[in-house]
Amino acid sequence: MSKLRHRNVSTEGSNAFTGIELKAAEDHAAGLTAVKVALGHVFKEMGVVRSLKTLSHMNQIDGFDCPGCAWPDPEKRSKLGEYCENGAKALSEEATNKEVDANFFKQHSVEDISKWTDYKIGKSGRITQPMILKPGSVYYEPISWKDAYQVVAEHLYELQSPNEAIFYTSGRSSNEAAFLYGLFARAFGTNNMPDCSNMCHESSGVALSETLGIGKGSVKLEDFDKADVVIVIGQNPGTNHPRMLSALEKCKANGGYVVSINPLAEAGLVRFKNPQEVSGIIGNGHTLADHHLQVRINQDVALLKLIQKKLATLDAVDQMVFDHQFISQYTEGYEAVLSELNTYSEAALLDICGVDEKEVDAVVLLLAKSKNIIICWAMGLTQHKNGVDNIKECVNLLLLKGSLGKPGAGTCPVRGHSNVQGDRTVGIMHYVSKTFNEAVKTTFGFNPPEDMGYDVVKGIQAMYNKKAKVFMALGGNFVSAASDTEYTAKAIQNCELTVQISTKLNRSHCIVGKTALILPTLGRSDQDVINGKQRHFTVENSMGVVHQSKGFLHPISEDIKSEPDIIGGIADAYFKGNHPVNWTLLSSDYDLLREKMGQVVRGFENVNTKSKGRGYYLPNNVRDLDFSRLPNQKAKFTITELPIHDLKADEFLLMSIRSHDQFNTTIYGLNDRYRGVYNERRVLFMNEADMKRYDYKKYDVVNLKSNYKGQERSVFQFLVIPYNIPEGNLAAYYPETNPLIPIDEFAVKSNTPISKSVKVTVEKSITL
């Protein structure tokens, strides 16, 4: 186990095995089992009556937004409950009855907690009061809100430059909190605003902005009803976005087809048992994926080029395969892309991607006759060195088919956290927008900074090199989420002050600066009441709908504050009233805050009124086929390159994945039901042919190593299990494998870590 200086804490917790049991992988998602598991989680954490009352308000109009993923809500909400298994689990974690109070921290030192697993840390409970970890101490102590704000202000005063402070944001924050947080960072004088997008969908944002003029998807939920084909690539919706399965089910019911492209055949795309239908409870449910293309890890570009090349061959015979009118009117670069495709042979592309040619040909014929195509993707495409090119190749296919700006067609990056897209929309960005800055100056009367700030990778490197000294996180579990865990931990520990605005305990409360603060905040499900009046906030879902969210539960403690109140308190302590912004007023009056947002953020005009009910769609130029933002006012075809990994004879390509009992870094339990793994997380999925080749047997204990630029990184004690994964490829859960991902290996242009394609070696562990 790796030990770090300063309070002697561990980044990984315990490496002990917990009692693995393997069963056959599930052949379906959801169904009655999902209902039982979901209710089991919430009942255990919240009690039966409290659980049922709260679940009935989640994702309902005038209710609260799910604290899980960003999948949109349908116009007509189900009376049986508009949530999925993992949404219920997310609620149970946030609304647990367990408390982390002063007495808890008296009993458990930071050293002790750091040796626990992420699962055990997360199950500790809700933080009920502000806490401080003083220099040299190993025990958190209570601190008043006033004193906590003053600690932050004093450390900010001591900085030589505003750029020595970093303001991180996770996707759980509201639009109001994120906007106010970004406003404070700019007023303080820095654009150091990394966010969780940097670690996940930044590649999508870059690729879509460069090719289509907007860094978001273009589809609406109702487009799935009208699609001829939905391609789900680099995504596991059954675990990560279960409510998406209902949309795919509707697509199929209306005569559409679903194509899955992934190194793993995930249960959610094999068969779906909708728990709100009789067939989903006592029947066999519905087959979802008509075709599964089992591509090798990070060879999606080769596969997509092969598909396009075969389509081009068909189009040469029948000019109806491609939408030539669309191509001529709305795009540029078509001839160059076709010419580049001719430089590859079909045989070479087929060999690279590793997919069965009969399956490829079947999909090609399906696409050839289809007009309305949606492509959905997630981290399986974005977290690679060529993550931006992966998305651009998806755009190429849609442009060839004219599948943009019409019902049943378009781009669909599926966001992982419930307001990660909204955070970016309202101004959480490390780059500079002159338009945004001008609006801030006009509305608030100060000049925002004009220098590029740090993203996640650059921010970690700055802290590691002691160029940044204060780190503040608005939600999230930064240490566990970031790549290169040991490096990140040392970077954080170099800080003079770390501040975590959190609902629950996580590993980032153990890996801290010389002084550390935990500032407890309200969750999505909590009532936000001030002066006897309940407030609400807004969020933006994965498809650009802004809507209200209003908590239902009485907070677990009277000493918890909302995120805007905390941000306003810090800003007021720092500026002491000597600033054009009235931080106290702005943070307490959400209606006023939204009014100001509408003066700065395009699309947020009159948001107080428009966000009621189902909410409203933000402007989206692709839906209107308006590409005037692009240099030549045309959507862009792009020439991409095939990724080259240059694996040595003993190297594998590893992708990090989630278990079914997990959301981001939050571990709900130790089971991965859909893959047949129970009561264990330290597992390595390996092809049986590779096991035979290297003489590995089921349950052999192995260590994994990566070596980039001569620097070796290791994780220890993983159990080998046979699995249906392409030869030469491996899969294992994160955050356990995050220490293998080098801090300086990331996607070109987006700086997204290469979490889904890490070169590793495997060696048998010597156990005593």
Side-chain angles (χ1 to χ4, degrees), residues 387-504:
V388 173
D389 276 358
N390 282 337
I391 313 308
K392 288 183 174 180
E393 205 60 69
C394 291
V395 172
N396 282 346
L397 177 55
L398 292 173
L399 292 177
L400 288 172
K401 296 296 299 181
S403 287
L404 292 169
K406 61 182 180 180
T411 55
C412 184
V414 185
R415 306 286 176 170
H417 216 151
S418 55
N419 198 45
V420 60
Q421 185 163 293
D423 289 350
R424 182 60 59 85
T425 299
V426 300
I428 297 298
M429 50 194 174
H430 59 279
Y431 50 85
V432 180
S433 165
K434 292 184 178 179
T435 302
F436 191 94
N437 276 8
E438 280 299 318
V440 168
K441 181 180 178 180
T442 300
T443 303
F444 294 104
F446 71 88
N447 292 315
E450 298 181 354
D451 297 327
M452 177 82 80
Y454 295 136
D455 61 13
V456 165
V457 167
K458 299 301 181 185
I460 293 171
Q461 291 173 330
M463 290 185 286
Y464 188 90
N465 293 315
K466 299 184 178 181
K467 294 181 179 179
K469 300 176 181 178
V470 172
F471 175 81
M472 189 182 305
L474 185 64
N477 182 2
F478 187 81
V479 170
S480 290
S483 62
D484 212 335
T485 310
E486 291 289 323
Y487 184 99
T488 298
K490 292 175 182 177
I492 290 290
Q493 289 188 315
N494 282 341
C495 291
E496 295 297 321
L497 173 70
T498 52
V499 182
Q500 302 285 338
I501 301 174
S502 308
T503 55
K504 292 179 58 213

Side-chain angles (χ1 to χ4, degrees), residues 32-106:
L32 187 59
T33 300
V35 176
K36 292 179 179 178
V37 171
L39 293 180
H41 274 269
V42 291
F43 290 172
K44 182 179 179 180
E45 297 291 336
M46 301 171 60
V48 176
V49 175
R50 186 166 176 261
S51 296
L52 294 176
K53 286 184 177 180
T54 309
L55 284 169
S56 69
H57 286 75
M58 189 158 74
N59 292 327
Q60 299 291 347
I61 293 175
D62 293 328
F64 63 92
D65 195 56
C66 176
C69 79
W71 191 254
D73 305 315
E75 187 169 357
K76 294 182 179 179
R77 315 294 163 92
S78 170
K79 294 180 180 179
L80 294 176
E82 193 59 56
Y83 56 88
C84 65
E85 177 187 343
N86 271 12
K89 291 176 181 176
L91 173 64
S92 71
E93 293 290 305
E94 175 181 280
T96 178
N97 290 321
K98 298 174 185 174
E99 298 184 14
V100 173
D101 54 15
N103 187 53
F104 174 93
F105 286 114
K106 284 181 181 179

Side-chain angles (χ1 to χ4, degrees), residues 430 489 593 669 673 714 730:
H430 59 279
L593 180 55
R673 186 173 79 247
S714 303
L730 303 171

Side-chain angles (χ1 to χ4, degrees), residues 354-396:
V355 179
D356 182 88
E357 187 169 19
K358 290 182 180 179
E359 280 295 314
V360 176
D361 287 341
V363 171
V364 168
L365 291 177
L366 179 62
L367 294 175
K369 64 182 181 181
S370 300
K371 300 296 183 182
N372 302 329
I373 301 167
I374 295 173
I375 301 183
C376 307
W377 68 87
M379 306 303 94
L381 287 194
T382 63
Q383 293 180 325
H384 301 279
K385 189 86 171 180
N386 66 319
V388 173
D389 276 358
N390 282 337
I391 313 308
K392 288 183 174 180
E393 205 60 69
C394 291
V395 172
N396 282 346

Side-chain angles (χ1 to χ4, degrees), residues 164 315 447 508 571 607 626 640 716 755:
E164 291 181 342
D315 186 71
N447 292 315
S508 293
V607 67
D626 173 13
T640 64
F716 304 97
S755 305

Side-chain angles (χ1 to χ4, degrees), residues 319-360:
Q319 290 286 304
M320 299 298 290
V321 172
F322 292 160
D323 189 334
H324 291 278
Q325 181 177 349
F326 178 92
I327 292 169
S328 174
Q329 184 174 354
Y330 294 109
T331 76
E332 64 175 355
Y334 167 70
E335 292 81 4
V337 163
L338 250 59
S339 178
E340 194 262 350
L341 285 175
N342 288 331
T343 64
Y344 302 101
S345 71
E346 289 187 10
L349 293 172
L350 189 67
D351 182 63
I352 292 170
C353 69
V355 179
D356 182 88
E357 187 169 19
K358 290 182 180 179
E359 280 295 314
V360 176

